[in-house]
Amino acid sequence: MRSYQVLKGADRAPHRSLFKAAGFHPAELERPLIGIVNSANEIVPGHTQLKLIAEAVKAGVRMNGGTPIEFSTIAICDGISMNHIGMHYSLPSREVVADSVELMAEAHCFDALVLIPNCDKITPGMMMAAARLDLPTVLVSGGPMMAGWRHGEKIDLSSVFEAVGALKGGRITEAELLDIEDNACPGCGCCAGMFTANSMNCLAEAIGLALPGNGTIPAIHSERLILAKEAGIKVVDLVRSKITAGQIMTARAFENALAVDMALGCSTNVLIHLTAIAHERGYRIDLNRVNEISRKTPQLCLLSPAGSDRIEDLHRAGGVGAVMKELLEAKLIDGELITVTGKKVAENVSDKVVRDRKVISSVTEPFRCEGGLAVLFGNLAPDGGVVKQGAVSEKMQCFQGTARVFNNEEAAVEAIGSGLIEAGNVVVIRYEGPRGGPGFREMLAPTAALAGMGLDEDVALITDGRFSGATRGAAIGHISPEAAAGGMIALVEEGDRIAIDLPNRRLDLLVDTEELKRRRVRLKTPEPKIAHGYLKRYVALVSSAASGAVLDEDVAEMKGD
C-alpha cells in the first residue's frame, strides 16, 4: 500500500512514533490509511453539518477495515461574498482547495481519499485534486438545502436577491423583503436550486466519482448519513480493487457529465469547473463540442432559477440516476464506464425510474429540445461566451440592443438600482474576468436586480465575469478574451448596437471594422483593482475563462478527446 512509505520498516520508527503520539493504535497502522477531506466550518450553510457527514464516513471506513484520518480545507460562501470585495476571492479559492488536498495527500502518503465538500468552489476544487492525485477516491457532498416557503410557493436564495431589485423598483415593501429574507433559506445545505453547488454535486455523480444519490439527497435527511457511511465502505473496496480516480475520470466520463449538465439545466459555472478538472487529467474540453452535445441533448428538468422545482423535487422524482437512465436509453451517454460503486454506469441506473414526469420529462417530450447551456461565438466573443439558454425567455433568444457600458459590477448595480437601465439595453460589465477582476466575479446582484425590477425579458447583460447559477435571463458570461487581455469587449462604447442570436450561437458587436481599429489604438487598460497578496500571484498565472481559469500557462498543449 502507498502508506507503507511512511509506516513500514525500521527506518520508519520515527514516523510510527508520531502516529502513536496522535493516538493511533498499532493495529490501525496495518490497515489502509484513508484521508477524509472535510471542508466543515461555521459560516457556510452548506458546511455546518459536514462534521456529522465526516463521522459517518469514518464509521464506514472502519466497518470495512480501513483507518480514517480527517483533515480540513477552506471554504468560501459565494452568497455571503457576493457583490463586494469578497467575490474577488471566491473562484481563486478553488485552486487553494485543490492545492491543499494535494499537499496533505502527498505529504502523508494516504492510500485513498474521501472528499466531503459542499458549495460552489469546494466541490470542483476537491475534484481537481482527485484528478491530479489519481488515488482511489469517493466524493460525498453535504447535500442540498430544502426550499423555503412563502405564501404557498417555494423560494430560495435567488428569491432574496431578486427581492432586493423588486424593492428598488417599488414592487415590494421593506417588510415583504424581510419576510422573504427570513424564509428563503430554512437550514443547512447548499442553496436549494440548480445553482453551481448543486450542479457540481450532481455532475460528480454523473462522472462516476460520487455514489448514486449524492447530487440530490437533502442535507437534513438521514439518507445522507447512510450515503456517507457507504462512501466510507466503498473507498476501502476501491483500494482493494485498485480503482483510482483517473480510471473513472476519463474523456468519455466528462462527455457524460456534459450531457447530464444539459439535461438538468445546470449553472454556466460548470463549464469553467469541468474544463479545469479535465485539465488536471490532461484533457481539453472543446467549447464547440459543448455546443454539439447541447444541440442533441434535450433539457429534461426545469429547476430553479429556470423553473419552480428545486433539488428536493428532483430527488423525489428519481434523482440524477433517473435522468441518466433517460439519457442512456436514448444513447446520449456511455453506460460502459466504471464508477466508484465498482459497477458501470448502466448497472448503477438499471433500477432507476422517473416518479414524476412534471419534474423529469422524457426525451421524446422534453421541456426544451436542446440542452440548458450554449456557447456563443462572434466578434465580441471569439473564444466563446456562455449562457444558460434554458433560463432565457423565448423573446430574448434573438435580440439586438443598445450598449450601456460599465467597467465594474458596482457601477452597473448602481445604474440598475437608480432606474437608468431601460428596455432594449444591453448592460456590458467588463474588467471582471479572471485577470481583470481580478478573480472572475459572479454577477448575481445585477442580474437579480434586473429580474426583480421586471426587466429580465427586455434587457440583456454580457460580461467577461461570471454568473451565479441562480441567474436567469439573457445573461452571457465568460466572454473570452476578457477586457484585461485586450478582448473585443474592451472596445465596446456607450450606444453601440449588440446582436445576440442564441439559436445560431452568435454574439456580435455591430461596429465598423475601421472604427474598432481606431478604438484599439486609444485603448487604455485600467489599473488592477487588487494588486497585492494572493490575488497578485493569481493574476500572474491565471488562464482565460475558455481554458477553465486554471493556474497553468500550458493549457494549449492539452490533448483532446
Side-chain angles (χ1 to χ4, degrees), residues 309-369:
D309 292 326
R310 269 56 178 193
I311 302 301
E312 64 197 72
D313 300 306
L314 176 60
H315 182 63
R316 174 180 51 79
V320 175
V323 173
M324 292 182 72
K325 187 174 183 181
E326 290 284 318
L327 298 177
L328 181 63
E329 290 178 346
K331 299 182 179 179
L332 293 171
I333 61 172
D334 188 339
E336 294 302 305
L337 306 181
I338 195 69
T339 72
V340 291
T341 64
K343 299 177 181 178
K344 296 178 180 179
V345 169
E347 295 175 281
N348 287 344
V349 304
S350 62
D351 62 344
K352 304 300 180 184
V353 295
V354 176
R355 301 189 186 97
D356 189 342
R357 283 294 180 190
K358 293 180 180 179
V359 178
I360 302 174
S361 64
S362 67
V363 170
T364 55
E365 296 184 43
F367 287 107
R368 295 179 185 272
C369 293

Side-chain angles (χ1 to χ4, degrees), residues 15 51 124 157 196 218 243 247 259 282 355 436 451 470 473 481 486 491 530 538 555:
H15 306 66
K51 292 179 182 178
L157 181 66
T196 305
I243 296 174
Q247 293 169 257
R355 301 189 186 97
L491 304 183
I530 301 175
Y538 182 83
V555 291

Side-chain angles (χ1 to χ4, degrees), residues 391-404:
V392 180
S393 70
E394 288 300 321
K395 66 182 289 188
M396 296 294 286
Q397 296 283 316
C398 294
F399 178 79
Q400 283 195 22
T402 303
R404 299 298 313 279

Side-chain angles (χ1 to χ4, degrees), residues 103-122:
L103 290 168
M104 289 293 289
E106 295 285 35
H108 300 106
C109 296
F110 291 115
D111 294 302
L113 298 173
V114 176
L115 310 175
I116 309 176
N118 231 14
C119 302
D120 294 36
K121 307 308 175 298
I122 303 88

Side-chain angles (χ1 to χ4, degrees), residues 16 21 27-28 36 80 82 126 164 194 217 230 274 278 294 333 339 422 450 465-466 498:
R16 293 191 296 273
E28 292 180 285
I36 311 299
I80 294 174
M82 194 74 67
M126 289 194 187
V164 173
M194 188 51 82
I217 298 172
E230 186 66 18
L274 287 177
S294 179
I333 61 172
T339 72
E422 302 174 345
L450 290 172
R466 301 181 294 122
I498 293 174

